[in-house]
Structures are given as structure tokens and as C-alpha cells.
């Protein structure tokens, strides 16, 4: 080779550097596609949970592995996928963006904006499945989560790191309790993640709108998987939302996650299981539905001081059918969580709202965390209320009750009026303490039950004006000294005595 053109030289170089031998590229083919599930053959090295990429860019993840078929849950629109399409493994698991860039945003479970805003600026993309903190990494649940709902804060106090199930029939106010709890965090440092799975768009719009109007939306993340999106996207929503919240928990911050709701999530899980031909068990759910929700909710935790002391509180919601708490999913969830707030349609119809059933609700850890000032004045409230409900039932049978019973009934009626509370009007800790104190000390006995709502409405402004030091002390530490307690007490007394 004496003379050569530059073109020939370049070509010779390219040939010299070309890899020699066959290039191996593994791809499978879609055998069947439908209902958001693709069955794929020819992917022998695919792993569970691995993300697969379809010919036209859609993503899915491996849900089942058979001898020669891979069951893949499609995360994107499956309309464009056809039988015969090529599919490649990515070696990756499903990830979602995390970081403060999500605050104030409405996103889908993969972190894609649904609010028309710019793409999320993420700190990182984390796997949607994460191991729950181990026992040694945890601490006791010992700081309160104030919901602003008197029934909960006084009778079923919640703590940071707790998992409390909100359960009841459709339309009994489950979502409303969660929304009010999120709204009340405008006065706290909790970061809220609201996960809506399979909820109607009109409902979701109402939730977001309420929180934007009354709460602190700049500290909330809305993770939305509408009923119209692929089952795969609905399935990953709670896991993705948890990952977003864990980011804050792991940095010593405090997060609250609402999952609205796990009944719909379980139904999606069942649908996917049946389509991927997993054997059905009780109520046609696959056998792993307990494990599914247990591993999800175990991620809620109060971390030890060595791990930064952060917390993640979970409020999963479940829907019952005709109040049946012993159906499969409700019993599972009740046994996984640290307590439940049971909503009753009977109470709801009787206009007792929030319709929390005192007899069947419980908070198994939060009681110890209750703000001391509130615990002091509401200690016997639950028992008093239960006794009143029983007395009331018996007094319907007639007979002339004696004076003591009459007084008990009168007190109970005022307590009931106190516990019914409108939406979007969470109470501050001071207001709750003042109301409980007023009841305990008999200040409300002379107030007609139907006037109690107006007392409660006037209370916050009144206390700010007449018991400022008490309000400030309470808001800063959850405790109150004798002097300020007396101030609070006399301020309430003058309010209830006002004509
Ligand atoms: N404390 C309350 N006071 C008045 N209305 C309420 C209260 N809580 C809920 N509601 C109303 O009850 C209806 C059902 O509530 P929602 O939270 O959507 O129920 P669910 O989530 O259980 O289906 C809504 O129209 C809501 O405005
Ligand atoms: Mg709801």
C-alpha cells in the first residue's frame, strides 16, 4: 500500500477497530397483549421487577416468570403495543424521582407532571420498592400527629411513625378525614404525600383544591393514578409515593402519607394477578396480597436518633361493603396497621360527622404520644362517651331517670355536639384543650347542645384575644403551666357565658 486516499485510511481504521464476532442482543417478542398485561416469550434472563422496554419506547415491569413466558405489567398506554413487537430487558427496577423539587406538585407515580408544570427537578431516582427499616433502626412512636379533628386527637391520638387505617363504607367521610389531617399540617413541619389510586378525577380535583385553599400545598406532593391509566401505573402508585416520602424521612424530616385507597389497590393487584394467571385464593385475590400491603406499610416508621430521627406516618384508607370489617382486605389491613378509625354510615346518616365509631376504633400506639395538656383534660372522655351512648339507648325504653343519670345524659349530649365537626375547620391544640376543659369542668352544661357549634367557631379568635400567652405556650411545646391554664379556663368561661 504505497499511496492511499484519506478516505481509504479512515475506512481501514474503522475496520481495524470493529469488534469481531457475533454481537449478542437479547430481545423477546410480545405473544399476547391486553388489559395492560403483555405476555412475552424469548427473554430467558429477565428478572422479577425488571423494567422492560417495548419497541416503541413504552415501559413495563416483570410481574411473573414462567418457564418460557414472562408476564409484564405495562406502565404506559398499551394501545400502541402489538403482538410480535420486540421487547428488551433494561437490567433496572422501576424508579421514581425524589427530592424537594416534588413539593407542591401533582405528578403520576413515575414523577411525570400532571399539573402542566415543568419536569420535576429530582435529587435522584430511587427504586419504588425499598426495605423497611429494621428494628434497631427504629425508635418508639413518641411525638404526636395533630389531626385537628377533636374525636381523633382526644380519643384516638396518632403518633409520628404510626400506621392508622381509615376504614368505612363509601361516602362516610374517609377521604375528608385524611384531607382535614393534611390541611391541619399547615401549622406543623410534616410533609404530606397524598396518593390517590383509582379515584375519580372529580374527587381528586376536589381534594387538591381543598388543600390548596385551606392547607399548605407547598409542603404537599400529590401522586395521582386515575382509574383510566394502566393498571400497572395504579399498582405502583402507593410504592412510588412511599419512596418520595422516605426521602424526607431518611433526612431526619417528618412525612405523612395518605393512601386513598388500598381497596382499589388490592382490586388492581387482583386484576393483574388473574391476567398473569396466578392462582386465585380467598375472594379471588392472589395469596400474596397480605405480603403486598404489609411490605408497603412496614416502610412507615419512626427512625432512631442514629438514623436521624425522621418519621413516616401512614394513613391508608380502605373501603368496606355494608360495614363488613371481616372481609378479606379489611381484616388484612386491620392486622397490619397500628389501629383503625372506623367510619359508620349509621352515624353519618344521623349527621354525626366525622362519623367515627367509638366502639370499634382504636389507636394502638399514639395514646402515649398525646400532647400532655390534652391528655390531662380528655383522659376519661372516651369512657364517658361510651357510657353515655349506652345510657341513652336504655333511656329510650322509658322510665324516669334519676338526677345523676339526667346529668350524665346532658353532659353526653354536649360531648357529642363537641365531637361533631365540619370539614376544613381543623382545631388547634389549644382550642381542643380549651373545649375538653370546658366540658370536663361543667362549663358547657348550661349551653344548649345546638349552641356548641357556634362556641367552637368563635373560640380560636377569642382565645387569641383573651388568652394569648396560653395559646403561644401550647403551640410551642404542647404543655401548659397552672397560670396559663387558669387564663385559658377563664377565657373559655367568659365565652360560653356570653349570650
Ligand atoms: N365532617 C363533615 N361534615 C360535613 N360533611 C362531611 C364531613 N365529612 C365528610 N363530609 C361529606 O361527606 C361526603 C363523603 O365524604 P368522603 O370523604 O368523600 O367519603 P369517602 O371518602 O368515605 O367516600 C362528602 O360530600 C363530604 O363533603
Ligand atoms: Mg374517598
Amino acid at each position: 500500500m504505497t499511496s492511499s486516499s484519506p478516505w481509504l485510511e479512515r475506512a481501514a481504521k474503522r475496520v481495524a477497530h470493529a469488534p469481531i464476532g457475533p454481537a449478542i442482543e437479547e430481545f423477546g417478542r410480545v405473544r399476547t397483549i391486553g388489559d395492560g398485561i403483555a405476555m412475552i416469550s424469548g427473554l430467558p434472563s429477565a428478572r422479577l421487577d425488571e423494567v422492560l422496554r417495548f419497541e416503541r419506547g413504552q415501559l413495563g415491569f416483570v410481574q411473573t416468570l414462567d418457564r418460557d413466558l414472562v408476564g409484564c405489567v405495562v406502565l404506559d398506554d398499551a394501545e400502541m403495543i402489538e403482538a410480535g413487537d420486540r421487547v428488551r430487558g433494561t437490567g433496572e427496577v422501576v424508579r421514581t424521582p425524589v427530592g424537594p423539587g416534588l413539593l407542591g406538585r401533582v405528578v403520576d407515580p413515575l414523577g411525570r407532571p400532571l399539573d402542566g408544570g415543568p419536569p420535576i427537578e429530582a435529587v435522584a431516582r430511587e427504586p419504588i420498592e425499598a426495605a423497611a427499616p429494621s428494628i434497631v433502626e427504629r425508635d418508639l412512636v413518641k411525638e404526636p400527629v395533630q389531626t385537628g379533628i377533636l374525636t381523633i386527637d382526644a380519643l384516638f391520638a396518632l403518633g409520628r411513625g404510626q400506621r392508622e387505617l381509615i376504614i368505612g363504607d363509601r361516602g362516610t367521610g374517609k377521604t375528608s378525614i385524611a384531607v382535614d389531617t393534611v390541611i391541619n399540617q399547615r401549622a406543623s413541619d410534616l410533609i404530606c404525600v397524598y396518593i390517590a389510586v383509582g379515584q375519580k378525577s372529580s374527587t381528586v380535583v376536589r381534594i387538591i383544591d381543598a388543600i390548596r385553599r385551606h392547607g399548605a400545598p407547598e409542603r404537599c406532593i400529590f401522586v395521582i393514578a386515575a382509574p383510566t391509566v394502566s393498571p400497572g401505573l395504579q399498582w405502583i402508585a402507593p410504592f412510588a409515593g412511599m419512596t418520595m416520602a422516605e426521602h424526607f424521612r431518611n433526612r431526619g424530616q417528618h412525612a405523612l402519607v395518605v393512601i386513598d385507597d388500598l381497596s382499589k389497590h388490592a382490586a388492581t393487584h387482583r386484576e393483574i394477578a388473574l391476567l398473569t394467571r396466578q392462582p386465585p385464593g380467598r375472594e379471588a385475590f392472589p395469596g400474596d396480597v397480605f405480603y403486598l400491603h404489609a411490605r408497603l406499610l412496614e416502610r412507615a416508621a419512626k427512625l432512631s436518633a442514629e438514623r436521624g430521627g425522621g418519621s413516616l406516618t401512614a394513613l391508608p384508607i380502605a373501603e368496606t361493603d355494608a360495614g363488613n370489617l371481616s372481609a378479606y382486605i379489611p381484616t388484612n389491613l386491620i392486622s397490619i396497621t397500628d389501629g383503625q378509625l372506623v367510619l359508620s354510615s349509621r352515624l353519618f346518616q344521623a349527621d354525626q360527622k366525622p362519623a367515627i365509631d367509638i366502639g370499634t376504633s382504636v389507636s394502638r400506639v399514639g395514646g402515649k404520644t398525646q400532647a400532655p395538656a390534652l391528655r390531662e383534660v380528655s383522659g376519661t372522655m372516651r369512657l364517658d362517651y361510651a357510657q353515655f351512648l349506652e345510657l341513652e339507648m336504655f333511656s329510650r325504653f322509658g322510665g324516669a331517670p334519676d338526677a345523676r343519670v339526667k346529668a350524665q345524659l346532658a353532659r353526653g349530649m354536649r360531648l357529642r355536639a363537641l365531637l361533631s365537626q365540619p370539614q376544613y375547620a381543623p382545631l388547634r391544640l389549644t382550642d381542643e384543650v380549651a373545649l375538653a376543659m370546658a366540658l370536663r369542668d361543667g362549663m358547657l352544661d348550661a349551653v344548649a347542645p345546638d349552641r356548641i357549634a357556634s362556641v367552637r367557631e368563635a373560640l380560636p379568635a377569642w382565645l387569641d384575644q383573651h388568652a394569648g400567652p396560653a395559646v403561644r405556650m401550647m403551640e410551642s411545646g404542647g404543655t401548659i403551666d397552672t397560670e396559663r391554664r387558669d387564663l385559658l379556663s377563664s377565657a373559655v368561661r367568659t365565652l360560653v357565658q356570653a349570650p
Side-chain angles (χ1 to χ4, degrees):
M1 237 202 281
T2 47
S3 75
S4 62
S5 71
W7 179 84
L8 254 182
E9 244 168 54
R10 272 206 304 277
K13 240 187 227 152
R14 265 216 298 277
V15 171
H17 287 97
I20 298 184
I24 299 176
E25 190 184 25
E26 184 184 301
F27 62 84
R29 295 258 184 211
V30 175
R31 289 292 151 216
T32 59
I33 170 85
D35 302 310
I37 305 290
M39 300 305 285
I40 297 157
S41 64
L43 273 182
S45 52
R47 289 174 303 169
L48 273 182
D49 291 338
E50 181 177 352
V51 173
L52 305 180
R53 188 181 294 278
F54 290 83
E55 203 170 297
R56 275 173 285 270
Q58 298 94 337
L59 298 178
F61 64 94
V62 178
Q63 176 79 2
T64 57
L65 291 172
D66 264 343
R67 247 183 46 164
D68 39 30
L69 271 189
V70 170
C72 171
V73 179
V74 181
L75 289 173
D76 292 297
D77 195 358
E79 291 282 284
M80 298 285 287
I81 301 173
E82 289 169 3
D85 281 2
R86 287 188 188 201
V87 191
R88 284 190 173 76
T90 61
E92 262 299 331
V93 293
V94 183
R95 287 170 182 267
T96 196
V98 297
L102 283 161
L103 296 175
R105 301 297 303 272
V106 185
V107 295
D108 82 353
L110 291 172
R112 297 176 292 204
L114 296 174
D115 52 7
I120 303 299
E121 274 184 42
V123 171
R125 298 184 67 84
E126 297 288 351
I128 60 162
E129 297 252 15
S134 67
I135 304 278
V136 290
E137 291 173 301
R138 290 176 188 249
D139 200 350
L140 295 176
V141 171
K142 57 188 179 198
E143 302 137 325
V145 173
Q146 281 287 124
T147 64
I149 300 169
L150 184 63
T151 314
I152 302 177
D153 292 340
L155 308 180
F156 306 105
L158 305 182
R160 293 182 174 196
Q162 184 171 356
R163 300 156 297 174
E164 182 82 0
L165 180 67
I166 303 174
I167 187 165
D169 284 1
R170 178 162 7 133
T172 50
K174 303 183 295 298
T175 299
S176 305
I177 285 185
V179 168
D180 275 336
T181 303
V182 170
I183 287 173
N184 197 44
Q185 305 318 315
R186 65 188 172 199
S188 86
D189 57 347
L190 253 66
I191 288 167
C192 301
V193 180
Y194 201 105
I195 307 167
V197 186
Q199 301 292 325
K200 284 186 306 220
S201 303
S202 56
T203 309
V204 172
V205 167
R206 219 157 5 100
I207 292 167
I208 297 177
D209 183 57
I211 294 173
R212 284 196 174 146
R213 271 188 295 129
H214 304 280
E218 70 283 358
R219 272 191 289 111
C220 293
I221 304 171
F222 301 95
V223 183
I224 313 296
T228 46
V229 305
S230 67
L233 213 49
Q234 295 182 52
W235 189 91
I236 67 167
F239 292 92
M242 273 289 183
T243 296
M244 294 174 189
E246 268 170 351
H247 174 82
F248 299 106
R249 181 199 72 188
N250 294 343
R251 271 150 199 77
Q253 290 174 281
H254 301 277
L256 171 79
V257 171
V258 174
I259 310 171
D260 194 1
D261 63 63
L262 282 180
S263 304
K264 295 219 168 57
H265 186 250
T268 304
H269 185 66
R270 171 168 63 186
E271 184 187 333
I272 290 174
L274 293 174
L275 288 166
T276 51
R277 296 178 216 142
Q278 294 169 54
R282 189 173 155 192
E283 291 181 25
F285 287 101
D288 68 346
V289 67
F290 182 90
Y291 170 59
L292 174 81
H293 288 156
R295 76 170 190 262
L296 174 74
L297 294 173
E298 275 294 293
R299 294 163 71 178
K302 163 73 188 159
L303 295 184
S304 63
E306 296 81 67
R307 286 289 315 275
S311 72
L312 198 172
T313 309
L315 292 180
I317 296 179
E319 191 170 297
T320 51
D321 195 16
N324 182 9
L325 292 176
S326 50
Y328 188 35
I329 299 301
T331 44
N332 275 356
L333 289 172
I334 284 172
S335 65
I336 291 168
T337 47
D338 307 307
Q340 68 273 350
L341 298 167
V342 180
L343 297 182
S344 137
S345 46
R346 183 182 54 79
L347 290 176
F348 193 87
Q349 275 149 23
D351 213 22
Q352 176 68 30
K353 299 171 191 164
I356 299 171
D357 183 66
I358 306 297
T360 46
S361 300
V362 63
S363 169
R364 289 192 203 100
V365 292
K368 302 177 209 80
T369 77
Q370 196 175 29
L374 187 56
R375 185 172 345 149
E376 199 186 296
V377 287
S378 67
T380 62
M381 204 186 252
R382 189 167 166 204
L383 195 62
D384 292 346
Y385 196 46
Q387 279 176 351
F388 157 70
L389 292 175
E390 217 158 272
L391 265 184
E392 190 188 36
M393 199 169 66
F394 282 117
S395 67
R396 289 218 188 96
F397 295 124
D402 63 27
R404 197 179 59 83
V405 171
K406 257 193 203 144
Q408 217 173 341
L409 284 171
R411 181 71 63 91
M413 260 140 70
R414 276 140 191 101
L415 174 53
R416 175 155 63 197
L418 214 52
L419 293 181
S420 71
Q421 196 174 330
Q423 278 178 282
Y424 315 134
L427 293 163
R428 296 174 304 183
L429 179 60
T430 323
D431 308 330
E432 293 178 337
V433 171
L435 288 172
M437 193 191 268
L439 182 86
R440 184 196 62 179
D441 299 344
M443 294 180 213
L444 296 178
D445 291 349
V447 180
D450 56 6
R451 243 203 75 214
I452 285 187
S454 58
V455 168
R456 181 181 45 221
E457 225 168 276
L459 188 70
W462 182 270
L463 292 184
D464 279 341
Q465 201 184 338
H466 297 96
V471 174
R472 281 190 292 279
M473 181 167 189
M474 192 83 82
E475 300 301 315
S476 65
T479 52
I480 194 166
D481 58 16
T482 323
E483 184 193 335
R484 291 181 179 84
R485 188 184 303 115
D486 293 345
L487 179 65
L488 196 62
S489 176
S490 65
V492 195
R493 197 178 292 278
T494 40
L495 174 66
V496 297
Q497 282 167 355

